[in-house]
Amino acid sequence: MSSTIGRKVQDQEIFRHARDTWGTLITRRPFASPVAAYLIVAGLYIGGRFLEGTVKAGDYLILRAGGDPIRPAVDPDYHLNVFWHSLSAIVLSMVVLTLFLKLMDVRPRAVLAPGPPSSVGFFTILYIFLTIIGAAAMAALAPLFNFEPAFPHPSTDGPWAFLGMMASSFEAGFTEEIFLVIIPVLLLRSIGQRWWVIVAVLTVLRISFHVYYGWPSLGLLVWAVGALVFFYFTRCGIALIIGHGLRNFLGTLSVLYGEELTTLAVLLLLLLVFVFRFFMRRTDFDPLRP
């Protein structure tokens, strides 16, 4: 009970600190803080190419043709291009996060890994299972709506194939979790937005570019809402980023090597849950302490 109360107080202190810093900055600007905050959230959504993905997803629903609408078009140098595109997106998202936290005067560890490594590992595995539950909910809804999109997969030949697919898998972990969870949550909470408003807005943004799955994409609400709740209770941004990337990579491996390998990987993850949980230790880490 005391640890829960301590976590809530710690959470309030982080957001209050960010709010005071942000308030000092925007009082020198000609617009109100809520307007500025939502403009930044919209900018992250557009700059992260999620709006483009939403438009392409809508086109796919109408035409029912083409490749994965949120991936680059297939060409002879597909994997090489994907590798450089994904690497650029990963680096850019980390730079934006670093600059934003510096601007807000919030220590990176406070919203990325506030606990010991064992707890970070434990939360990462838990988040992977949350993404799997979301995918399972969507798969369960697919037969009900008789809509199961099938995208043509590029060739897996060539030296860049594995690196390209791995980079592409982890790109979503960095860009989606940083641009649609970590920064927006910190920003919107700093101006006093209620949690239900934040969850509603960010859930719509997260689901929007996944609508090429049709009505079954509603199953992803479990994951979209769960990710925000997960971040609220853990503040472990690293778990969101790495967990999302690993889950995507498991999906890629299942395409390449079959579902048996994925099943084995899930069992291994389950084992790691117990391993990390066994070695977890209580910590009095204060994210605002110099």
Side-chain angles (χ1 to χ4, degrees):
M1 182 66 179
S2 59
S3 61
T4 302
I5 296 176
R7 186 185 302 112
K8 290 184 178 179
V9 171
Q10 194 177 67
D11 177 73
Q12 293 171 357
E13 288 298 324
I14 292 173
F15 292 124
R16 187 179 299 114
H17 182 68
R19 179 199 62 201
D20 294 342
T21 304
W22 177 249
T24 302
L25 291 170
I26 59 93
T27 52
R28 304 171 187 173
R29 306 292 195 274
F31 42 73
S33 57
V35 175
Y38 279 102
L39 282 176
I40 292 175
V41 172
L44 293 172
Y45 179 73
I46 297 172
R49 301 184 65 182
F50 302 117
L51 177 60
E52 177 188 354
T54 300
V55 173
K56 290 183 177 180
D59 290 341
Y60 178 82
L61 286 178
I62 296 173
L63 302 175
R64 299 292 178 90
D68 187 331
I70 61 173
R71 296 298 177 197
V74 177
D75 57 49
D77 297 319
Y78 174 81
H79 292 297
L80 177 60
N81 291 336
V82 166
F83 174 78
W84 289 117
H85 168 85
S86 299
L87 180 62
S88 300
I90 290 172
V91 173
L92 178 62
S93 62
M94 289 301 296
V95 169
V96 171
L97 177 62
T98 301
L99 292 177
F100 182 81
L101 293 180
K102 184 67 175 178
L103 177 67
M104 299 291 283
D105 195 25
V106 172
R107 295 183 63 200
R109 190 173 178 182
V111 291
L112 293 177
S118 56
S119 65
V120 174
F122 177 69
F123 290 143
T124 299
I125 303 302
L126 284 185
Y127 188 64
I128 292 176
F129 277 108
L130 177 59
T131 62
I132 292 175
I133 292 172
M138 185 176 65
L141 290 176
L144 299 179
F145 293 99
N146 194 28
F147 184 82
E148 297 188 33
F151 308 120
H153 295 287
S155 170
T156 56
D157 298 330
W160 288 97
F162 184 80
L163 287 177
M165 288 183 287
M166 182 171 67
S168 178
S169 297
F170 279 94
E171 175 198 344
F174 280 87
T175 56
E176 287 188 37
E177 305 301 343
I178 290 176
F179 289 168
L180 298 180
V181 177
I182 299 174
I183 292 180
V185 165
L186 181 60
L187 180 58
L188 296 178
R189 280 297 291 166
S190 71
I191 62 170
Q193 292 292 285
R194 295 183 179 275
W195 272 105
W196 71 266
V197 175
I198 296 175
V199 170
V201 170
L202 298 184
T203 296
V204 169
L205 295 184
R206 172 89 85 163
I207 297 296
S208 65
F209 52 92
H210 290 97
V211 296
Y212 55 88
Y213 287 108
W215 287 108
S217 62
L218 291 176
L220 292 177
L221 286 171
V222 177
W223 163 54
V225 175
L228 296 167
V229 175
F230 182 90
F231 185 61
Y232 171 76
F233 282 105
T234 69
R235 299 195 317 279
C236 192
I238 289 295
L240 296 174
I241 295 170
I242 302 302
H244 190 157
L246 285 174
R247 167 62 183 88
N248 284 0
F249 191 54
L250 285 176
T252 299
L253 291 179
S254 68
V255 172
L256 296 179
Y257 304 109
E259 296 183 357
E260 293 80 6
L261 181 61
T262 305
T263 302
L264 180 61
V266 171
L267 292 176
L268 177 60
L269 289 174
L270 189 59
L271 175 62
L272 288 176
V273 167
F274 291 101
V275 171
F276 278 117
R277 190 67 185 89
F278 178 78
F279 286 105
M280 282 179 68
R281 294 291 183 269
R282 298 176 64 88
T283 177
D284 59 351
F285 173 71
D286 180 1
L288 297 180
R289 187 171 56 202

